[in-house]
Amino acid sequence: MRSVRLYDATAGRTSALVLSAYSTSFGMGARLLGKRAHRDIEAVYALVRLADEVVDTFQGPTAADELDELEAQTVRALRTGYSTNLVVHAFARTARRVGITTSETEPFFASMRADLTVEVHDRESFDRYVYGSAEVVGLMCLRVFLNADRTPGTPLVEPDAEQVAGARALGAAFQKINFLRDLGVDAGELGRTYFPGTERGRLSEAQRAAVLDEIAHDVAVARAALPRLPGRSRYAVAATLALYDRLLDDLAAQPVDALVRARASVPAPVKARVVAAAVAREWWDVRRGGQQA
């Protein structure tokens, strides 16, 4: 029906608008995907951003209720395939086709809910938070990459162990880099301390070195899994990973106290060069006999 297609298309355009408004780095990588996968990643990102805005921007007395309602809408739409919330509708359409379930959304919303109550993390709560807020998002994206072109009635492509490890590590690396970049905002505006064993808005050189080592391990696991990604998703992930790698280099080079004073960013012309170089490296690797793509 034309009216159904129009509603679906409007929901998709809404998700695309959210991604373009909030993330240039993630958006640049997503543009390297095929058309269907690009739309699906927009749908995943938009739902994640919507929840994040409840806990980071709204922060009102009814924030917990708003988050509960958003999760309820999401669970219902995963079951029915429809929502009056355009972002949720787009997400549900993608999720039902690529195999995203409450196994991913439940821990995600649990981590978002933690942002309303937990100000200081220990190691256990930090690992749990990173899993729900970032690693499961990596798993959602992986399901998109594997099943973006799936047609109704055909079996889902399930990820293998190496793909799962890579997707989780990628999400964890991105989240920890964001924690470093947003150290001042998280402490000053949101009152949160994410890295275990640190004081609010402060890192010692030794603590930063430990965080950088942890991120380097995550990045290595994610990069090792790149050849296991299908088609254009390998190039998209490589480009996004390269952008975050460049940001990480900048964060590592700054005096540690400068992390609190200013939020680091990579200029747009530099981002374009980084993306081009990353794509070229992957292309040459494929030509030399790399797997998948």
Side-chain angles (χ1 to χ4, degrees), residues 29-284:
R31 284 197 290 272
L32 295 170
L33 295 167
K35 186 175 181 180
R36 174 63 69 86
H38 188 184
R39 288 200 301 263
D40 288 341
I41 290 298
E42 288 172 337
V44 169
Y45 180 90
L47 179 70
V48 170
R49 172 51 60 180
L50 205 61
D52 204 48
E53 288 303 300
V54 174
V55 299
D56 283 357
T57 302
F58 173 54
Q59 302 177 55
T62 61
D65 295 334
E66 295 289 346
L67 200 61
D68 289 346
E69 174 58 25
L70 181 59
E71 182 174 16
Q73 290 174 6
T74 302
V75 172
R76 187 165 59 246
L78 286 174
R79 184 176 68 251
T80 66
Y82 178 82
S83 178
T84 55
N85 181 321
L86 289 170
V87 167
V88 173
H89 182 80
F91 175 81
R93 290 186 67 242
T94 286
R96 284 160 61 91
R97 194 181 72 259
V98 306
I100 296 169
T101 69
T102 53
S103 295
E104 289 85 26
T105 61
E106 186 174 335
F108 168 73
F109 278 104
S111 284
M112 293 299 97
R113 204 168 281 111
D115 271 336
L116 297 175
T117 58
V118 179
E119 295 182 350
V120 179
H121 284 272
D122 58 23
R123 188 74 230 186
E124 181 182 357
S125 69
F126 177 79
D127 289 342
R128 186 168 58 248
Y129 180 87
V130 170
Y131 174 74
S133 66
E135 293 181 31
V136 296
V137 178
L139 294 175
M140 292 184 206
C141 293
L142 176 59
R143 286 199 168 274
V144 167
F145 301 152
L146 297 176
N147 293 284
D149 296 322
R150 174 177 176 256
T151 55
T154 58
L156 283 166
V157 177
E158 295 293 338
D160 62 33
E162 188 177 2
Q163 290 169 331
V164 167
R168 289 184 58 177
L170 187 72
F174 288 173
Q175 183 67 292
K176 293 167 190 176
I177 292 170
N178 283 334
F179 287 158
L180 269 183
R181 180 179 60 176
D182 296 333
L183 195 65
V185 172
D186 287 337
E189 297 181 16
L190 302 177
R192 298 180 196 146
T193 303
Y194 285 106
F195 293 121
T198 65
E199 297 180 25
R200 183 174 297 173
R202 296 181 62 186
L203 277 181
S204 68
E205 289 288 357
Q207 287 169 332
R208 178 170 65 173
V211 169
L212 293 175
D213 285 345
E214 194 171 314
I215 294 171
H217 175 266
D218 292 332
V219 168
V221 173
R223 184 163 282 122
L226 277 177
R228 302 289 304 137
L229 295 177
R232 294 168 64 173
S233 64
R234 174 173 177 173
Y235 300 106
V237 172
T240 309
L241 183 55
L243 287 171
Y244 273 84
D245 242 352
R246 172 54 193 262
L247 177 60
L248 184 60
D249 288 343
D250 291 348
L251 292 168
Q254 289 184 18
V256 86
D257 59 349
L259 296 176
V260 181
R261 296 196 303 268
R263 189 176 188 267
S265 62
V266 180
V270 176
K271 286 183 177 180
R273 292 196 296 272
V274 169
V275 167
V279 171
R281 283 194 301 271
E282 290 306 309
W283 185 82
W284 277 110

